[in-house]
Amino acid sequence: MSAWVALVVILLGLPLLAWWVSRRRMWSRLRPSPAPDTSEWRVRRDIARRHELSPRETGEMESAVDAGRAVDDPRLRAATVEWARYRLDARATQPRWIEGRWLPVLLIAWGAGVVAHVVFAVAEGRWGDVNWLTAAAWVGWAVFGWRSRSGPQRALERNSGPPSTGQRE
C-alpha cells in the first residue's frame, strides 16, 4: 500500500512541484528575454494588415514578388514593395554556406561537363547516350531557380515607380 501512495505522490507531486518552481520569480529573472518574433508569416501578416489586404490580395502580392511582376493597385504596389524589401533583407542576413565561393564554381564546371557530353554525343550521332528528359529537367530547374532568386529584386524595381499604363514607349 505504501508503494502505491509513493507512486501517486511522485506522479502527481513532481509535475506540480515543477510547475510551482517554474512560476517562481527568481527563475524568470534568470531566463533570457525572448527575441522579437520576425518570422516570415508574422511579417507577411503585418504587411497585409498595414495595407488592408484581403487573403486573395496577400496571395497576389506574394506571387508578384516571387514572379517579379508589376501590379496595378496602389495598395498592392506598396505592399509588394515592402514584401520584396523584406525578402531581400532576409536573404542578405541568411548564412551563405550554400552560396559559398566553391559551390557555384563546382556547379558551373559540372554543367559545362554535361553540356560538353551532350554536344559530343549529338555531334557523333549517339543521340541515345543523352538522357533528354533529365537534361530538360535540369534546364527547367535552373531557369526556375534563377527566376525565383531574381524575383524580389525585379518586383521591387517594377513596383517602386509610378504604375505603367500598359503601353510601350
Side-chain angles (χ1 to χ4, degrees):
M1 181 67 169
S2 62
W4 287 105
V5 172
L7 185 64
V8 168
V9 168
I10 289 172
L11 289 177
L12 291 177
L14 281 179
L16 287 173
L17 179 66
W19 175 79
W20 179 75
V21 168
S22 71
R23 304 301 295 171
R24 304 272 306 176
R25 254 182 116 58
M26 70 173 199
W27 293 110
S28 65
R29 285 185 299 224
L30 295 177
R31 279 187 300 224
S33 63
D37 187 9
T38 58
S39 59
E40 194 168 284
W41 68 269
R42 182 161 297 200
V43 173
R44 182 174 47 237
R45 184 189 68 195
D46 291 344
I47 290 172
R49 282 183 182 167
R50 204 170 17 260
H51 297 281
E52 299 173 353
L53 301 179
S54 69
R56 183 191 59 78
E57 290 171 326
T58 303
E60 190 176 334
M61 169 196 69
E62 287 179 325
S63 68
V65 169
D66 290 339
R69 69 175 188 271
V71 292
D72 295 329
D73 183 19
R75 288 181 310 116
L76 209 52
R77 285 179 74 83
T80 301
V81 167
E82 192 173 345
W83 181 242
R85 281 195 181 122
Y86 169 76
R87 295 274 304 269
L88 289 170
D89 292 344
R91 182 184 302 152
T93 60
Q94 287 176 347
R96 299 185 61 134
W97 64 271
I98 194 74
E99 298 173 7
R101 295 181 181 181
W102 290 104
L103 184 64
V105 172
L106 291 173
L107 286 175
I108 290 169
W110 177 80
V114 169
V115 168
H117 172 71
V118 169
V119 167
F120 284 120
V122 169
E124 294 175 0
R126 296 180 290 123
W127 292 82
D129 286 355
V130 179
N131 188 342
W132 294 105
L133 184 62
T134 303
W138 278 101
V139 167
W141 278 110
V143 169
F144 173 75
W146 176 75
R147 294 287 292 180
S148 65
R149 183 86 178 139
S150 63
Q153 182 63 39
R154 284 182 291 127
L156 185 63
E157 292 167 358
R158 292 177 180 171
N159 290 300
S160 291
S164 65
T165 59
Q167 299 173 353
R168 299 233 177 221
E169 297 179 23

